[in-house]
Amino acid sequence: MEKEKVLEVKNLQKFFKLGRNNTVKAVDDISFDINKGETFGLVGESGCGKSTTGRTIIRLHEATGGQVIFNHENVHGKKSKQDLLKLNRKMQMIFQDPSSSLNPKMTVMDIVAEGIDIHKLAKNEKDRKQRVENLLETVGLNREHATRFPHEFSGGQRQRIGIARALAVEPEFIIADEPISALDVSIQAQVVNLLKRLQRDYGLTFLFIAHDLSMVKYISDRIGVMYFGNMVELAESDELYKNPLHPYTKSLLSAIPLPDPDYERNRRRVAYDPAEHDTNEEPEFREVKPGHWVRCTTKEFEEYKKELKTK
Amino acid sequence: MEKKNEQEYTEQSGQTSKANEDGLSILGRELIRDKVALISLILLIVVVAIVYGTSIIMDKDEIVKVDLFAIHEPPSDEFILGTDYGGRDIFGQLIIGTRNSLSVAFLVTLMTGLIGVIYGLVSGYYGGHVDNAMMRILDFFLILPFIMVVIVFVSIVPKYSVVSFSLIMTAFLWMGIARLIRSKALQERELDYAQASKTLGSSNIKIMFKQVLPNLSSLIIVTMTLNLAANIGLESGLSFLGFGFPESTPSLGTLVSYATNPTTLEDRWWIWVPASVMIFVLMLAVNNVGQALKRATDARQRRG
Ligand SMILES: Nc1ncnc2c1ncn2[C@@H]1O[C@H](COP(=O)(O)OP(=O)(O)OP(=O)(O)O)[C@@H](O)[C@H]1O
Ligand SMILES: [Mg+2]
């Protein structure tokens, strides 16, 4: 069954020039697709370029190289104002830090209505108010919250306001950049549940960014693992959990605690040492098994294939 | 089921924190808490009301008219604060002078504020090459010799008014606030709320003035208040040196500059002491208010 692709990222690069001879390769040649209606998880340690990937996809950064194709349209190509606005409506973002993602000087009403105003979605003042109140209720807040300011809310509630703001323009695709990592563990699950419910109700497609695998596993259909600006492994969630191939993925998986005493007694954290690869050959992204990609050298490629067979 | 869970959570964590309340109300509260600043503010309002009020009914030409029969009169019933070497009423000059000095200070503060805020906001918000170019232009203004240009201006333009004098001062005084706002805008534009605005499709102008600017409001108010104190002193200083207003346009600086005459300095205190006290009181009062506001923007130094 051929799935419909919403987003295709092709050889995307984003370098930051910091000085004359100082360039940070935040994202270095990564490719992946996201299918309609799925949640694609992007994981990796802090500073590996996850946010940069998300921000480049949504045009907050110019791409240094490569392409982002959204609904068969090149996001970074030359665009008229009209096309840009259309794109802004279809692609939205939820931010990591709930304390800085809402303007402290604006009421919740004006924050959520910003997109409605820009895209002229409301027929009149009453419709605008109605829409905002509906959105607040959709994300689990009350309509009375509309007149308050962001500082009057807890982190989880602020994140809900951010979600309502993104939903206001009726997007198809949402980039969620570590939407729960600043939240209390008890609240994380609630926000994840909210996102899952929204996905089901509105047929949304998600790019879900996180730095550890524990939550991503629960929410994602497919997962991409990033390491220092590169994509090192990509597979369906179950496959990645059952058959992790790249040593970095194994190390990430070994870090997740499970509520299973037997497992925990034997759980051993595996550290990843990039030096274990053969440095004579530049690794490439290869498909070890249909849908399961690993960044590896030819020799590793053969080993991985064997490893999968023996399982 | 899920939905119910979420709802429950919302109810219980619906508590609000007052820790981070609106900046302007904090400024107001700090002013009321700080008695010295409050008294300063009231004093300022009274002085401004009196000065602008009485100067409307005063006849300016009458005051600056030379009267050779009343030279250097000490304070009396006719002349409350005596007269100067041209027989001109000092009290009248003090009122009009204070008004002129204050007008210059207000005008310069407002104009430097307006230019500086817009310039700094644009420079900091766009960043990169735009910022680079705009900061080089600003540097150029910084290295211009301020006093020299003012001297040239004073000698070319024979009759200048409060407005033209304010304009020339503004040309050299907008850079400080521009730099301050620029550095703040550089930080502010990286914050997620500005980025979110961009992803929603807002134009840069909209983000700058509707999103970022309101977040700089307390900083702007504090800086402009402190600038006002400095500008009162600056005008007086220039006039004292003879590069400010001519005698036909009295100001606090022109009154004090009579004290350059040794006899006036020693024997005719009524000419220069009132103006000096006025400068001192005004600057101190405005500065008190400014410092209180500044403290209010720094949570660690707040009094209540
Ligand atoms: N605007 C920028 N200018 C210069 N360097 C940047 C910029 N943004 C990111 N970087 C650099 O790019 C690299 C990747 O950063 P990025 O924010 O994408 O990491 P991340 O994976 O999202 O990390 P985290 O989990 O901490 O959010 C880092 O080394 C960072 O220092
Ligand atoms: Mg990040």
Side-chain angles (χ1 to χ4, degrees), chain A residues 51 96 177-178:
Chain A
S51 297
Q96 174 171 1
D177 185 359
E178 307 201 33

Side-chain angles (χ1 to χ4, degrees), chain A residues 55 60 88 92 95 100-101 103-106 114 118-119 140 151-152 154 156-157 160 165 190 194 197, chain B residues 2 6 9-10 13 15-17 20-22 192-193 195-202 211 214-215 217:
Chain A
R55 282 164 189 254
L60 282 176
N88 286 326
Q92 272 302 306
F95 292 86
S100 78
S101 64
N103 192 336
K105 295 275 166 171
M106 285 165 73
E114 191 184 350
I118 294 164
H119 298 278
H151 63 79
E152 297 176 42
S154 68
Q157 289 174 315
R160 285 164 195 265
R165 169 177 61 193
Q190 288 162 343
L194 170 65
R197 179 163 60 78
Chain B
E2 268 169 30
E6 286 161 14
Y9 143 73
T10 314
S13 63
Q15 90 279 39
T16 58
S17 72
N20 193 357
E21 76 188 282
D22 187 31
D192 286 342
Y193 76 82
Q195 306 280 323
S197 213
K198 240 187 241 177
T199 65
L200 283 167
S202 288
Q211 302 268 346
N215 283 293
S217 56

Side-chain angles (χ1 to χ4, degrees), chain A residues 16 18 24 26 45-53 61 96 178 211:
Chain A
F16 292 106
L18 297 181
V24 176
E45 66 190 290
S46 187
C48 72
K50 307 178 300 286
S51 297
T52 308
T53 305
H61 294 312
Q96 174 171 1
E178 307 201 33
H211 60 255

